[in-house]
Amino acid sequence: MNLGLSVKLKADFERLSARSQAVARWMIDHPADVALLTTREQARRAGVSPATMTRLAQRFGFKGYDDVRKLYADAMRGRPESFRGRAQELVSRRADEGDAALVQDIFASLVPHLQALSSPGAVKRLTAAADLIAKAKRVFCLGLRSTFSVVYIFHYVRSLFGAASVLVDGAGDTGIDVLRTIGRGDVLLAVTVRPYTQHTLKAVCYAKEKGARIVAVTDSELSPLAPFADEILIVDTETPSFFHSMTPAFAAIECLAALIAARRGRETLKALVQSEEQLSAFGTYILPSKKSRAKT
Amino acid sequence: MNLGLSVKLKADFERLSARSQAVARWMIDHPADVALLTTREQARRAGVSPATMTRLAQRFGFKGYDDVRKLYADAMRGRPESFRGRAQELVSRRADEGDAALVQDIFASLVPHLQALSSPGAVKRLTAAADLIAKAKRVFCLGLRSTFSVVYIFHYVRSLFGAASVLVDGAGDTGIDVLRTIGRGDVLLAVTVRPYTQHTLKAVCYAKEKGARIVAVTDSELSPLAPFADEILIVDTETPSFFHSMTPAFAAIECLAALIAARRGRETLKALVQSEEQLSAFGTYILPSKKSRAKT
DNA sequence: AAAAATATGAAACATCTGTTGTAACAGCGT
DNA sequence: ACGCTGTTACAACAGATGTTTCATATTTTT
């Protein structure tokens, strides 16, 4: 990620006044400090009056130097597109203050959450989890309440692939019963975010004791699942609205499923063909070509 | 970022008070923001009064929270890899190596799909669908196979909000039976993407005949659902992997739920309080404070 | 059940922030 | 020398910042 401003700064360097050049030089040499220090402190270090900082920023089209600092701060967080995104957001919010703003805000907040999942650290965790699951005899998928969506899609995709998957869910609250047979060689994929569900933690404890490995998808290093997890995936849930979003967790699980499928390679493809045959035999899907003759 | 404080924070976590734990958790989850945001802003995001921040810092031997921020700022300066473009170099170099490439590609492809959902046209459709659903007597939620995740989360959130919602799903393939009572004033939320499921289309036909309105979430204007839909939301499903992603549909539905919740305003909040009371009475969640006395 | 101890948020506080108005200054052509 | 232009620092301002105080919950102990 390169700061657009640094580039502009270098390009226009010649045309700047003496003091402004001093500031520009200092900024280019100390990008981290631009994000971390106050404008006044930066002026002091660059040997310039604070007013000069503000005016330089304004020359480049910012409202003040504060905006420059925010730009550098965002860059430091490792969110390359955030400035462009924010600008768009502002524009559109001016256009409409109501629903549109909420929609924009929700999706805008999701983007950095997804980007966080493709950071090197997250990738390492995803691949480690995929390795663990790919080697497992069976995978038990457990997620209650809002996270059920997440484990369901994992289980569904995994079933399509022909891999051994058990969805911990059952009519009449018999869900947890399927865990009875869990043991060494199995993996429990457990998903829970704040507020953490009691049953999920219990199940993880239980499975761990029986010798199963744990892959936890949760929202913090401090999650109660963390101490039990062999592999842990951290997903964001925050949104500008007052409720949490499961979209990042959902995306992470889909990605995990894809990684595992890739590991099984040829086997996956064979299973997919089988699945398709079965489903078309049952007339599950509408045929893409002619008229679909409905039956039943 | 190797911060001595994070370690101490985790070590003493149990001994901290409820509010301090909230702060510690937020700090561990957002280390970059500790360095970049003001104390007040951090307090706001952690859901705590500014005073708590200062006090927590003092408990750990600092003069005030400002010193903590400086500590984090120094730690951030110490790792220029994430800055000045070297991070992205690393990323793109790794992107040639199998797993990482797949992960990057998947999330990268999701971002434009989400952005498409906040385009003016999509916003209009979302708000129109929200309007229709907000006025409905009851909402029936129907999605089979991979799309079940999507309708499940909608149903779950809507139930939390105390709105009338019926999940079309049942043990023993009795799911469709609940549609018997559907009629004028009701809305059927139907989700299906290619390959379209036979049953979903059938159900939509049936509901339409009975006078219900249809909100369709699907992947194309040419979807078989389109002719029956009163409101239609189009979501992308394509990924660089060989299977489809439901993440955009998932995000769209969450957004739709948020819009509807906003429309119900005060009512939503009351229902949320009720839900919380009920859930805590049942001991569903792990209590955030000290000893959580498990029951059952 | 009462009392002591602790934790917490609202408001108050002095301090510091970023910006702007003003005046001094240097360079430059006339 | 003169006025004109563009820079710059200084001072002043409104607003925000981090900390402290104090009264009020909340928890723990007696």
Side-chain angles (χ1 to χ4, degrees):
Chain A
M1 141 90 211
N2 219 332
L3 248 28
L5 184 55
S6 303
V7 176
K8 271 199 233 164
L9 236 37
K10 281 182 206 162
D12 288 5
F13 190 80
E14 308 295 338
R15 273 178 286 283
L16 293 175
S17 68
R19 290 322 227 193
S20 296
Q21 282 191 3
V23 176
R25 183 171 295 127
W26 187 87
M27 287 172 69
I28 289 168
D29 290 344
H30 308 89
D33 289 325
V34 175
L36 293 167
L37 302 177
T38 65
T39 302
R40 278 182 129 99
E41 177 64 19
Q42 292 180 46
R44 217 165 296 145
R45 298 203 185 183
V48 156
S49 120
T52 307
M53 311 291 282
T54 298
R55 298 201 165 106
L56 175 66
Q58 287 169 340
R59 177 180 307 258
F60 280 89
F62 297 89
K63 202 200 150 213
Y65 195 78
D66 239 22
D67 287 6
V68 174
R69 228 187 27 214
K70 277 180 193 137
L71 178 65
Y72 273 67
D74 282 345
M76 238 192 160
R77 284 197 188 88
R79 302 196 313 207
E81 302 290 344
S82 87
F83 186 69
R84 190 175 302 168
R86 193 160 301 184
Q88 279 176 350
E89 180 190 321
L90 284 177
V91 166
S92 53
R93 186 166 326 163
R94 271 186 213 128
D96 187 329
E97 279 286 335
D99 281 340
L102 181 56
V103 174
Q104 306 271 348
D105 285 352
I106 287 176
F107 291 121
S109 75
L110 250 31
V111 169
H113 289 172
L114 293 189
Q115 281 172 346
L117 284 169
S118 49
S119 74
V123 170
K124 220 188 291 178
R125 287 177 154 176
L126 276 165
T127 53
D131 287 336
L132 190 59
I133 291 178
K135 282 185 300 193
K137 229 166 36 189
R138 294 176 299 174
V139 175
F140 290 76
C141 310
L142 170 60
L144 303 175
R145 322 203 120 259
S146 57
T147 61
F148 180 71
S149 299
V150 176
V151 295
Y152 177 86
I153 194 74
F154 183 84
H155 168 73
Y156 177 77
V157 172
R158 193 166 162 81
S159 299
L160 269 191
F161 293 166
S165 176
V166 181
L167 185 60
V168 182
D169 172 58
D173 204 8
T174 61
I176 308 289
D177 297 5
V178 299
L179 284 175
R180 270 183 210 140
T181 67
I182 201 171
R184 198 165 302 279
D186 294 330
V187 166
L188 173 62
L189 175 74
V191 186
T192 186
V193 298
R194 237 159 316 170
Y196 309 108
T197 44
Q198 201 75 253
H199 282 348
T200 305
L201 180 58
K202 282 266 184 64
V204 166
C205 284
Y206 178 79
K208 185 86 181 179
E209 271 173 25
K210 295 273 232 137
R213 312 295 288 273
I214 310 293
V215 173
V217 178
T218 186
D219 61 351
S220 165
E221 305 275 356
L222 293 173
S223 163
L225 260 51
F228 302 96
D230 295 283
E231 297 296 341
I232 185 169
L233 302 179
I234 305 289
V235 295
D236 283 304
T237 61
E238 275 144 47
T239 72
S241 179
F242 57 89
F243 69 94
H244 291 175
S245 169
M246 297 304 304
T247 299
F250 192 91
I253 281 282
E254 279 195 336
C255 182
L256 184 62
L259 285 176
I260 297 164
R263 273 162 180 62
R264 303 180 76 242
R266 175 169 298 284
E267 238 179 311
T268 298
L269 290 179
K270 252 198 301 195
L272 270 178
V273 171
Q274 269 191 334
S275 298
E276 268 171 35
E277 275 171 10
Q278 181 250 318
L279 291 172
S280 80
F282 279 79
T284 306
Y285 296 127
I286 297 167
L287 298 177
S289 55
K290 319 255 164 139
K291 295 167 196 169
S292 63
R293 277 180 311 161
K295 242 190 164 187
T296 298
Chain B
M1 161 154 8
N2 205 348
L3 238 36
L5 183 54
S6 300
V7 177
K8 273 198 227 163
L9 238 36
K10 275 189 211 171
D12 288 6
F13 188 79
E14 306 295 339
R15 274 178 284 284
L16 294 176
S17 70
R19 274 354 213 195
S20 297
Q21 282 191 2
V23 176
R25 192 187 302 267
W26 186 89
M27 287 172 68
I28 288 168
D29 291 343
H30 307 88
D33 288 325
V34 175
L36 293 167
L37 301 176
T38 65
T39 301
R40 278 181 129 99
E41 176 64 15
Q42 293 180 46
R44 209 181 56 75
R45 299 204 184 181
V48 151
S49 110
T52 307
M53 311 292 283
T54 299
R55 281 195 278 257
L56 176 66
Q58 287 170 341
R59 172 186 295 261
F60 280 87
F62 298 88
K63 200 202 153 210
Y65 194 80
D66 234 24
D67 289 7
V68 174
R69 227 189 24 218
K70 276 176 194 140
L71 183 65
Y72 273 66
D74 284 344
M76 220 177 179
R77 259 189 281 259
R79 31 144 241 183
E81 339 101 38
S82 76
F83 203 42
R84 275 192 175 168
R86 274 190 62 188
Q88 203 164 34
E89 263 179 49
L90 275 178
V91 162
S92 47
R93 201 184 314 152
R94 275 220 191 153
D96 298 330
E97 303 170 7
D99 276 345
L102 183 55
V103 174
Q104 306 272 344
D105 287 351
I106 287 176
F107 292 121
S109 75
L110 252 30
V111 169
H113 289 172
L114 293 189
Q115 279 169 348
L117 285 169
S118 49
S119 74
V123 170
K124 220 188 292 177
R125 288 178 151 175
L126 276 165
T127 55
D131 286 336
L132 189 59
I133 291 178
K135 281 186 300 194
K137 229 167 33 188
R138 293 177 299 176
V139 175
F140 291 76
C141 309
L142 171 60
L144 303 175
R145 321 206 120 257
S146 59
T147 61
F148 180 72
S149 298
V150 177
V151 295
Y152 176 85
I153 194 75
F154 183 84
H155 167 74
Y156 176 76
V157 172
R158 193 167 161 80
S159 300
L160 268 192
F161 292 166
S165 177
V166 181
L167 184 62
V168 183
D169 172 58
D173 205 8
T174 61
I176 308 289
D177 297 6
V178 299
L179 283 175
R180 274 183 208 140
T181 67
I182 201 170
R184 197 165 304 278
D186 294 328
V187 165
L188 173 63
L189 175 74
V191 186
T192 186
V193 298
R194 233 158 323 181
Y196 309 107
T197 44
Q198 202 72 255
H199 282 347
T200 305
L201 180 58
K202 282 264 185 66
V204 166
C205 285
Y206 177 80
K208 185 86 180 178
E209 271 173 25
K210 295 272 231 134
R213 315 292 288 275
I214 310 293
V215 174
V217 178
T218 187
D219 61 349
S220 162
E221 306 276 355
L222 296 175
S223 162
L225 259 49
F228 302 96
D230 295 282
E231 299 295 343
I232 184 169
L233 302 179
I234 306 290
V235 295
D236 285 305
T237 61
E238 273 136 50
T239 72
S241 179
F242 56 88
F243 69 94
H244 290 175
S245 169
M246 297 305 303
T247 299
F250 193 90
I253 281 281
E254 279 196 334
C255 182
L256 184 62
L259 286 176
I260 296 164
R263 274 163 179 62
R264 304 181 75 241
R266 177 169 296 282
E267 238 180 313
T268 298
L269 290 180
K270 251 198 303 195
L272 270 180
V273 171
Q274 269 192 333
S275 298
E276 267 172 34
E277 275 169 11
Q278 182 249 318
L279 290 172
S280 80
F282 279 78
T284 306
Y285 296 126
I286 296 168
L287 299 177
S289 63
K290 308 256 163 153
K291 298 163 193 169
S292 63
R293 276 182 311 161
K295 245 193 164 185
T296 301

